[in-house]
Each structure stands twice: as C-alpha cells, then as structure tokens.
Amino acid sequence: MKNRMFRMFTLLFAVAVLFLPLSGQAAQTRIQAKNVILLIGDGMGPSQFGAAWIYSNRVLMRDLRMSELMKKGRTAYLVNDTADAIVTESAAAAGQIATGQRMTARALSMAADGKTPVKTILEMVKEKKLATGLVTTSGITDATPAAFAAHVAHRSNEESVADQELKFGVDVLMGGRKQFFLPESAGGKRKDGRNLLEEAQKAGYTVAGTAEELKAAPTGKVLGLFNMSNMSFEIDRAATQEPSLAEMTRKTLQILSKNKRGFFAMIEGGRIDHAAHRNDAPATIRDTLAFDEAVGVAMDFVKKNPATLLIVTADHETGGMALIGHSKESKEYIGMNLKAIEKATASFEAMVGKWGKKPTPEMIKEDVKQSLGIDLTDDEARTVADDTIKKLDPYNYGYDYLHSLGFVLRPYLRVGWGSQTHTASPLFLFGSGPGSEKIGGLLHNTESFKIMKAALRLK
Ligand SMILES: [Zn+2]
C-alpha cells in the first residue's frame, strides 16, 4: 500500500515537473494584451473626479464607472513633470504618455532639439499591423491626439497635424476642428488650399459630419469631424448634431476590433480641461460624467474581450479646482451645491458669448438667473462687469469675465478655482487587464508608456 502511494506521488511529481515550463509559457501568453484602450480625461484632477463622483452618487443615484474600475482593477497616483517645467501643458504630457520620454512644452513628440521625432506607441503598434484610433471631444488636431500620430515643433501647427494624422493612416479619427482639414475657400483655415476631407475620401476613409452619419458609417476607416471648432461642451451639445464621447467610443471599438491582430485606441475627454480653464464647475462636471460614460463603454467591451489592457488617466489637473465648504449664508460645513449644478443649462462660455463686449451688471444678473438659477447681488454683478479678477491677476486669470463670474459664484456653487490654467496636482492612473499588474503606488506619466508597451510586447 505504502509502496503504491509512493509510486503515485512520484508519478504526480514527474507530471508536474514536465508541465511546469508549459504552464509558465501559458501564463506568459495569457498576460500579453491584444488591445490597449487608453482613456485620458484632459484636465481631470482628483477634484474633477471627486466632484463627478459626488454628483453621480447623490444626484444621478449611481456610482461612476470609473470607481467600479478602480475597485476591480489597480490604481496608482501619477505625477507628470516634464523636461522643462513643473506644470505641464497637454502637448508635453501627451508626448510623455505616447513616447515614455520627458518632453518640452508645446512640442509634439519631438526631442528637446525641436527637430528629432521620438517614436510613439501608435507608430510601434502600426508597425505590428494593429489597428489604431484617436478620439476626442476637443480638436482631433489638438495636442493630446496629435502627440500620438504627429511630430511638430509647436502644437499650434494644426494644419501639419491634420496632414500627418491622415498620412499616418490612423484607422479611426474622431473629434472637432474640421477647420484644419478645409481650405480657406471652403470656410476652413488651411493656407495651402488643400481639402483634406476629399483627400481622405480618396484614401478610403468614410467622412462623417454628424451623429447620424457616424451611426451609418461602415466599419472601415472613419474620419469623423463634428464641429469646425472644438466639439461642444456636454452641457451645450445638440445630440442630433454631435455624437457623445460614449457613442464615438462604441463605434471606434466596433471598427478597431475587426482587426484580428488587435488595436490601440486613445480616447480623450478633451473638454473637461476647457471647462476647468474657464472655471466653469457645472460644465466641468458634465464633461467628466460624459467621459465616465465612455469609460463604461470601454469596460463593457473589455468584459467580452478580456485580452485588453484598459487604462484611465489624465494629463494634468486644470484650474486648481477645489470643492469648498462654506455657503453664502453660514460657516457650517456643507460643500458643493448639487442643486445649483443640476439646474445649470449652459456653459459659462456660451453665456459670456451672448454678453458681447461690454455687458451691463443688469444683463449679467438676468443671464445668471436664467442659465444657472442664481440671484447675484448688485455688487457681485458689478464685479463680473468690471472683470475685477482678470484685472488683478491677468496671467493666472486670462479669459474675459469668466474668472470674475467663477469667483462670485464660489459661495453659491461652493467650488473655487486657484487659476485659469494647469496645475501640478498629482493625478490618478487606474486600469485592468493584462499588463495592469504594474499599476500601483506612485508612477510618473512616462511609465504609462512602458506599461502599455510591455503589455503589447513591443520591442
Ligand atoms: Zn488645458
């Protein structure tokens, strides 16, 4: 009996030893990602996230999909300083995520000499014949998508970016700033007289200009340009004209997943940043929620396609957003005014756009009442009309009327702003899927490139 047991153990041991290298290999194959979906909330710092989290849980009565992903997957803090600055802008930040190297301000995936292109992860996956996609609610020629597919010395050269994105052959391009694809004679901004929409069609792209056209587009290459300028803030968006970020994400994943080798998609909530630049709390929150919906679409895709590394992060925080405690009436701790945020029906940008060059305090009072449901005092309306905040600190508060409006609304909305521009606040980076085991602790944004590269086994 003892002898038989011994023989059985020996046999089992031998079998285990025999299969050990195989199972190791199987585990290695398992951790290779076929697809990478990178979602970037432009300007989405911890306060933007926190404001959307509170709003979602207490007004919409549901948790964020982002918190679901954080709970299921892995989360890290992310820092983002660059080669030449402590506070970054989107070009350097996106370049660092796209290339893994420290960048200088406003250059797009270029070495510090301003001339030498640095290879991006999108170029690497293209060499491996994976499908590629870039999607944003900002301009498709804006810094974040541009850093993945283009190399220019200064991000303002958007004519060249549009050209390079099409030459690259990115399979899916969706966003705003159609103006950089059209010649001046057709209402665009191209000085070279070229019509890139026609050129794209000849190169095999379906060109879509509305939400309906996008829905109807076949699953080949798509160039979706839904606004001459940036796409609308979520709070102002007409759903028949412009698709939501979630709709664009769904279509993108549907198209890219046709490639049997896999794909890389960068999907950006580009206007969280723009709303925060304008110190506009309701628009910031709505755009963060629209971004969250897109994260949800990606999470649902991952459920059916588990060989996908899903990463959600931000490039930088914008505005020094702070959820402050006290109201107009008392020093009791209360926090963000959810009812007022819920009532807001227009972005600050749309409001100021209606005011003209010299708005009167009366006009401002009336519009704030109508668009935000808030009764400003005469002093407050005058502070906005005089644009006091901009006069006091023009470089940190540069937009006309918006910061003065943001300032007088502080005790009503209980949201404050430290600046008109980006800050060095640490960010989140979280995700799931093969390769996500490296997410944790404190990461630098150059390391997000390394995580994606390792997950796809790129050399
Ligand atoms: Zn910005």
Side-chain angles (χ1 to χ4, degrees), residues 273 277 316 422:
D273 172 64
H277 272 293
H316 51 71
H422 307 162

Side-chain angles (χ1 to χ4, degrees), residues 8 50 68 74-75 95 104 161 202 237 270 286 291 381 384 434 443:
M8 226 164 81
E68 189 189 324
R74 293 179 178 82
T75 302
T104 51
V161 170
K202 275 183 203 142
R237 182 173 66 89
R286 304 290 173 86
F291 177 71
V384 181
L443 296 172

Side-chain angles (χ1 to χ4, degrees), residues 42-43 88-90 155 270 273-274 277 315-318 399 420-422:
D42 198 311
T88 185
E89 44 71 70
S90 293
R155 57 183 284 182
D273 172 64
H274 297 171
H277 272 293
D315 52 354
H316 51 71
E317 194 276 343
T318 303
Y399 292 88
Q420 69 149 9
T421 188
H422 307 162

Side-chain angles (χ1 to χ4, degrees), residues 16-33 457:
V17 168
L18 203 72
F19 279 91
L20 209 60
L22 254 182
S23 64
Q25 229 171 30
Q28 275 203 347
T29 322
R30 245 196 335 267
I31 65 163
Q32 176 160 0
R457 298 282 152 89

